[in-house]
Amino acid sequence: SYVLTQPPSMSVAPGQTASITCGGNNIGGRTVHWYRQKSGQAPVLVIYYDSDRPSGIPERFSGSNSGSTATLTISRVEAGDEADYFCQVWDSLSDHPIFGGGTKLTVL
Amino acid sequence: QVQLQESGPGLVKPSQTLSLTCTVSGDSISNPNHYWSWIRQHPGKGLEWIGYIFYSGTAFYNPALKSRVAISVDTSKNQFSLNVTSVTAADSAVYYCATITLGRYSTSRWFDPWGRGTLVTVSS
């Protein structure tokens, strides 16, 4: 079955840029979506269709997807961006979703 | 604005059936552009997809849980429900309901919005 691989954790200083990766075999041929989950809260969609932002999500959040890696980029990181981030694709063969294991982003 | 709210017992005894309901507001559960899904999250762990259902009643399940899971829909109440039979401590988790939006392509489907989640503990 298809597997999405994320680094378990990463840290970044306020004001810097965080790049959270999601690896998968030819993931560039799939559409990737990203979720933010703050502590004790439900996940929230932050990027869909690789790089589109839902209304209400700051422009600091952007996404890209090519080759074997999709990337969620958070520019000018703020303390409030500290959260777990999950990537997700949809497997058309089995017709079900696949989630990455999640990356815990710590803002120093 | 679409909102989802989970409801059901927070404590279930081992071997019994876990039953949860998700009430949808701000959208019709008969919307053909959406599926309706259940996801769970064990403490400190990632997201585990349980299954999803279309308003017609057609459902798809995680193969790992399929033998114990059933999802149903009640269009008259704008609700969908989850049953998990023969529960054990391993079924203790936060359970979320969420809307799956059908994108332009069959591979473009994402979850938005999510309910707030409900913690279910399996214990005697």
Side-chain angles (χ1 to χ4, degrees), chain A residues 16-60:
Chain A
Q16 298 302 304
T17 297
S19 296
I20 301 172
T21 60
C22 176
N25 185 28
N26 192 31
I27 195 174
R30 298 174 182 256
T31 305
V32 180
H33 319 292
W34 291 91
Y35 305 88
R36 175 186 65 200
Q37 185 179 32
K38 295 184 178 181
S39 180
Q41 298 184 17
V44 171
L45 180 74
V46 294
I47 292 288
Y48 64 105
Y49 276 141
D50 294 337
S51 59
D52 288 352
R53 277 179 293 103
S55 60
I57 300 301
E59 292 183 4
R60 300 185 298 106

Side-chain angles (χ1 to χ4, degrees), chain B residues 22 35-36 48 51 57 60 64 73 83 85 97 103-104 108 116 123:
Chain B
C22 182
Y35 290 152
W36 307 96
E48 181 180 28
F60 292 81
V73 63
N83 278 353
T85 61
C97 57
R104 292 190 291 267
S108 302
R116 297 180 65 177
S123 175

Side-chain angles (χ1 to χ4, degrees), chain A residues 35 37 42 49 88 95-96, chain B residues 41 52 96 103-104 109 111 115:
Chain A
Y35 305 88
Q37 185 179 32
Y49 276 141
Q88 177 248 316
D95 215 5
H96 68 70
Chain B
Q41 186 173 36
Y52 64 86
Y96 296 99
R104 292 190 291 267
R109 297 173 182 179
F111 296 82

Side-chain angles (χ1 to χ4, degrees), chain B residues 39-92:
Chain B
I39 302 106
R40 71 182 183 181
Q41 186 173 36
H42 295 97
K45 301 297 183 182
L47 301 169
E48 181 180 28
W49 167 70
I50 299 172
Y52 64 86
I53 193 166
F54 198 46
Y55 74 91
S56 62
T58 301
F60 292 81
Y61 301 112
N62 184 328
L65 300 170
K66 186 175 183 178
S67 63
R68 299 192 296 122
V69 170
I71 298 175
S72 59
V73 63
D74 187 336
T75 55
S76 67
K77 295 182 179 179
N78 227 38
Q79 295 176 334
F80 62 106
S81 299
L82 169 70
N83 278 353
V84 182
T85 61
S86 305
V87 297
T88 69
D91 294 306
S92 297

